[in-house]
Amino acid sequence: MRNNQEFDLWADGYDASVNLSNASGSYPFAGYQEVLDRIYEIVRKACGKQILDIGFGTAVLTAKLYQDGYTITGIDFSKRMIEIAQQKMPGARLIQYDFCQGLPNCLSSTLFDAIICTYAIHHLTDEQKICFLKTLCRYLTPGGKILVGDVSFSTRAELEACKKSSGDAWDDEEFYFVADEICAAFPFAKYEKISHCAGVLLLENTAPTGRFRTE
């Protein structure tokens, strides 16, 4: 079970630990920077400036968008993560909230051009992920995009192979999505594999039908 005090303690060393795993090409953060770069590229090509970042952590990605003039709303579990992110984005609206409970009521009437979630959705079970993504769809402007970058796999076989090779490093308390399985609930979703243990899932609102399509 997640504990926000543990996340607060991890906050100051988070970037260093991620960078170490990313540089070594090892689970869980192999491809981390490439995932963030890909999401940044997609957002920059899209229209609209309203961004919701779910589980933004230390704002490695969102701070770049903030500097580019995007309007940032963010949700994170950790008070310390928010403090670090707020220093980078003093004008952003950052909310301490557990997205495992959905989205806070204060956002109920807000629409976003892009909703991004990087290395956070693995805290939800597969069933919870699908319900959560369906909820997020209601917060998109026409043509708006949901972009999820995380530890993930194209197939269940790839996940099992990574689990076996990772040994004791594998985290059994996290739920990594398998593209083949999650896309079955969203037939118009697109998954882009980035590394052996990471990728980007894209959903787009095609109003007025409410359906989803890939680019």
Side-chain angles (χ1 to χ4, degrees):
M1 181 178 293
R2 299 195 309 159
N3 182 308
N4 60 349
Q5 292 181 339
E6 293 176 357
F7 276 73
D8 288 345
L9 291 172
W10 189 28
D12 292 302
Y14 178 79
D15 292 344
S17 62
V18 168
N19 290 337
L20 181 63
S21 178
N22 180 64
S24 67
S26 61
Y27 161 86
F29 291 114
Y32 174 85
Q33 189 59 55
E34 291 83 354
V35 167
L36 269 57
D37 288 346
R38 180 60 180 140
I39 293 176
Y40 176 80
E41 177 186 11
I42 293 171
V43 172
R44 290 285 289 156
K45 287 181 179 179
C47 297
K49 291 289 187 177
Q50 296 291 332
I51 307 296
L52 173 62
D53 191 346
I54 298 170
F56 53 81
T58 57
V60 174
L61 170 59
T62 323
K64 292 177 64 177
L65 294 169
Y66 179 82
Q67 292 165 7
D68 291 339
Y70 287 80
T71 300
I72 304 297
T73 300
I75 299 168
D76 201 272
F77 191 52
S78 165
K79 180 180 178 181
R80 180 56 184 152
M81 293 282 195
I82 291 174
E83 290 172 350
I84 294 171
Q86 197 81 72
Q87 291 174 3
K88 299 177 183 179
M89 307 181 295
R93 182 187 185 188
L94 304 181
I95 303 164
Q96 186 175 8
Y97 190 81
D98 185 357
F99 72 85
C100 292
Q101 308 302 317
L103 295 185
N105 291 334
C106 62
L107 299 181
S108 61
S109 61
T110 309
L111 297 179
F112 298 94
D113 301 303
I115 300 175
I116 61 180
C117 183
T118 55
Y119 291 85
I121 205 170
H122 55 252
H123 295 297
L124 302 179
T125 66
D126 290 346
E127 183 178 355
Q128 290 171 332
K129 286 183 185 71
I130 291 171
C131 291
F132 185 57
L133 289 171
K134 288 180 178 179
T135 296
L136 294 184
C137 295
R138 301 198 297 267
Y139 289 80
L140 288 177
T141 59
K145 303 176 190 297
I146 297 170
L147 293 154
V148 179
D150 210 324
V151 178
S152 53
F153 304 88
S154 298
T155 65
R156 180 63 55 177
E158 286 184 5
L159 183 152
E160 293 298 335
C162 183
K163 180 177 181 179
K164 182 177 180 180
S165 64
S166 299
D168 292 340
W170 186 264
D171 191 339
D172 287 316
E173 294 185 357
E174 297 184 346
F175 308 97
Y176 307 125
F177 74 82
V178 173
D180 283 356
E181 298 170 7
I182 203 164
C183 288
F186 301 96
F188 295 89
K190 178 182 178 182
Y191 178 73
E192 183 175 343
K193 184 179 175 67
I194 301 295
S195 76
H196 74 279
C197 63
V200 175
L201 179 71
L202 169 64
L203 301 175
E204 183 174 357
N205 181 20
T206 58
T209 66
R211 297 173 65 199
F212 294 89
R213 67 174 176 81
T214 61
E215 289 191 322

